[in-house]
Amino acid sequence: MQRPADDPNTTRHDVRARREAHERHDEGTGPATAARWTARVLGAVFILVALLGFFGDDYVLGIFSVNTLHNWVHLLSGVVLLGLGFASEAAARATLWVFAVVYGLVMLLGFLGVDWINNALEMNMADHWLHLALTLVFIIGAAVSHAQERTAHPETAAAHRGRP
């Protein structure tokens, strides 16, 4: 039976063994949880949208305005998300937080009507609403992953909060 991290009888060996098990879990070999799945699915979708944009017309699905630069952003975003969706859970989670900030900023600038962002990426109102939805999905994927990590490894979460 494993002893909790705050148990005075916990040895350094116990703590090290738990840390090593946690690191093995997070090397990409453990089960895919929220951050990995979110990154993988959205990565594949972004790549598909980029291909539709490159080989279609100026509107993806008939409503989302795109141009060449916008398609390249989708392709790069998809490759990064897909690649890090197969990395560690922590890497996938961090990527989702970064994407939430970037896409949230793009959404905000778009809604505010900042010309250089709207013109450079050829965005319309449908794009802005989609960026809002994506920002929320990135946040939810990262937050759920964080909650899963705390539940699966409470001793690591306690150590991150500065507890022994």
Side-chain angles (χ1 to χ4, degrees), residues 38-54 60 70-82 99 103 130-131 134-135 137-138:
T38 303
R40 290 173 187 177
V41 170
L42 288 180
V45 169
F46 271 84
I47 292 170
L48 177 62
V49 167
L51 294 174
L52 288 173
F54 280 127
V60 173
H70 203 152
N71 293 327
W72 280 108
V73 169
H74 287 150
L75 184 61
L76 179 62
S77 295
V79 168
V80 169
L81 284 166
L82 193 60
F99 271 73
Y103 275 77
L130 179 61
H131 290 147
L134 286 169
T135 299
V137 171
F138 290 135

Side-chain angles (χ1 to χ4, degrees), residues 11-154:
T11 66
R12 288 183 182 172
H13 175 74
D14 293 335
V15 172
R16 186 179 315 126
R18 283 190 215 125
R19 184 178 303 125
E20 288 171 358
H22 172 67
E23 288 168 357
R24 279 193 307 276
H25 166 79
D26 201 39
E27 288 175 345
T29 59
T33 55
R36 285 191 186 132
W37 277 112
T38 303
R40 290 173 187 177
V41 170
L42 288 180
V45 169
F46 271 84
I47 292 170
L48 177 62
V49 167
L51 294 174
L52 288 173
F54 280 127
F55 298 109
D57 59 11
D58 292 339
Y59 288 90
V60 173
L61 301 177
I63 59 172
F64 300 105
S65 181
V66 293
N67 63 7
T68 303
L69 178 60
H70 203 152
N71 293 327
W72 280 108
V73 169
H74 287 150
L75 184 61
L76 179 62
S77 295
V79 168
V80 169
L81 284 166
L82 193 60
L84 289 171
F86 287 96
S88 70
E89 184 70 16
R93 185 181 322 120
T95 302
L96 293 181
W97 284 122
V98 169
F99 271 73
V101 169
V102 171
Y103 275 77
L105 182 60
V106 169
M107 176 267 308
L108 182 63
L109 294 173
F111 275 130
L112 291 174
V114 176
D115 286 337
W116 64 267
I117 192 82
N118 285 330
N119 293 337
L121 296 174
E122 191 67 35
M123 294 191 304
N124 60 15
M125 192 56 72
D127 290 306
H128 306 327
W129 286 107
L130 179 61
H131 290 147
L132 172 62
L134 286 169
T135 299
L136 294 174
V137 171
F138 290 135
I139 290 170
I140 291 167
V144 169
S145 168
H146 185 72
Q148 288 172 328
E149 186 70 19
R150 282 194 333 253
T151 302
H153 301 285

